[in-house]
């Protein structure tokens, strides 16, 4: 797949997304250093993927994306080339109206963070929001996985409202 990716991101309230999910999968992903784009290696369940994303446009709403499925062995080898800080999460797919929300529940140093995103056909496309959708964070780069790799949620979690923190601060 390649083309322009248009998506909006939101913080998630509560845990209702789990009951509404049609499916879920475990994802581990790493990033290979690149100054002008994001190069991601992903293992989703037992499948490998290589993704290259260009710089964000329109306040983080859209950007070029190229994705190709690769073998699991290739993905495992490429993970060894990744910068430190592997992203570990479970992705839940939740249908709402004509759209599917991808809800990511993070682990490790990003534990307590849950983000939902929805892909759109065009930037001003209307969509229904599930009840668990909270504040929009589309343009906030702190919620990009590539940022979370280098600056995990545990470091800055106190800057978001408690309603969106799924694990109590210790």
């Amino acid at each position: 797949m390649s083309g322009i990716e248009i998506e909006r991101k939101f913080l998630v309230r509560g845990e209702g997304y789990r009951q509404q999910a049609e499916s879920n999968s475990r994802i581990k992903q790493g990033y290979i250093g690149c100054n002008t784009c994001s190069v991601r290696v992903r293992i989703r369940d037992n499948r490998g993927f290589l993704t290259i994303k260009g710089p964000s446009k329109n306040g983080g709403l859209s950007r070029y994306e190229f994705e190709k499925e690769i073998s699991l062995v290739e993905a495992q080898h490429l993970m060894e080339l990744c910068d430190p800080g592997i992203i570990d999460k479970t992705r839940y797919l939740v249908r709402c109206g004509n759209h599917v929300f991808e809800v990511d529940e993070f682990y490790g140093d990003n534990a307590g963070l849950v983000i939902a995103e929805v892909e759109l056909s065009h930037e001003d496309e209307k969509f229904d929001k599930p009840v668990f959708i909270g504040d929009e964070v589309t343009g906030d780069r702190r919620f990009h996985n590539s940022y979370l790799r280098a600056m995990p949620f545990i470091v800055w979690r106190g800057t978001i409202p408690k309603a969106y923190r799924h694990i109590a601060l210790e």
Side-chain angles (χ1 to χ4, degrees):
M1 176 197 96
S2 64
I4 301 297
E5 173 189 54
I6 301 169
E7 68 181 10
R8 292 178 62 184
K9 291 184 179 219
F10 302 88
L11 294 174
V12 171
R13 291 187 290 241
E15 298 178 359
Y17 61 91
R18 289 183 184 154
Q19 291 74 38
Q20 296 177 43
E22 295 177 348
S23 65
N24 68 71
S25 57
R26 190 69 179 253
I27 296 173
K28 292 191 179 191
Q29 64 191 42
Y31 291 85
I32 297 172
C34 181
N35 291 332
T36 59
C37 59
S38 171
V39 179
R40 177 181 75 202
V41 179
R42 174 181 279 175
I43 297 174
R44 184 173 186 162
D45 295 328
N46 291 314
R47 297 170 63 196
F49 299 88
L50 179 64
T51 306
I52 302 169
K53 294 186 178 193
S56 293
K57 298 178 182 178
N58 303 326
L61 189 60
S62 63
R63 63 184 175 169
Y64 177 80
E65 179 182 80
F66 169 85
E67 184 171 78
K68 179 158 180 55
E69 186 166 356
I70 59 177
S71 75
L72 179 59
V73 172
E74 290 170 322
Q76 290 167 333
H77 287 299
L78 286 173
M79 287 290 260
E80 294 177 21
L81 299 176
C82 290
D83 296 334
I86 300 299
I87 297 291
D88 186 11
K89 61 189 180 181
T90 295
R91 173 164 289 169
Y92 297 85
L93 301 181
V94 179
R95 183 168 302 283
C96 183
N98 295 325
H99 295 86
V100 174
F101 284 76
E102 296 176 339
V103 181
D104 290 341
E105 180 180 336
F106 292 86
Y107 305 112
D109 286 345
N110 291 304
L113 180 62
V114 182
I115 300 173
E117 53 187 54
V118 60
E119 290 198 15
L120 305 172
S121 301
H122 52 87
E123 292 179 2
D124 53 353
E125 181 177 352
K126 303 289 185 217
F127 59 93
D128 297 325
K129 293 180 185 173
V131 295
F132 57 79
I133 293 297
D135 292 345
E136 184 164 4
V137 293
T138 298
D140 190 336
R141 67 183 301 254
R142 293 178 302 169
F143 298 98
H144 291 194
N145 285 275
S146 57
Y147 184 87
L148 292 168
R149 179 210 57 82
M151 185 64 66
F153 186 54
I154 195 169
V155 173
W156 54 273
R157 68 184 293 152
T159 66
I160 67 167
K162 280 188 175 183
Y164 298 112
R165 290 184 239 152
H166 292 266
I167 296 177
L169 289 173
E170 300 293 333

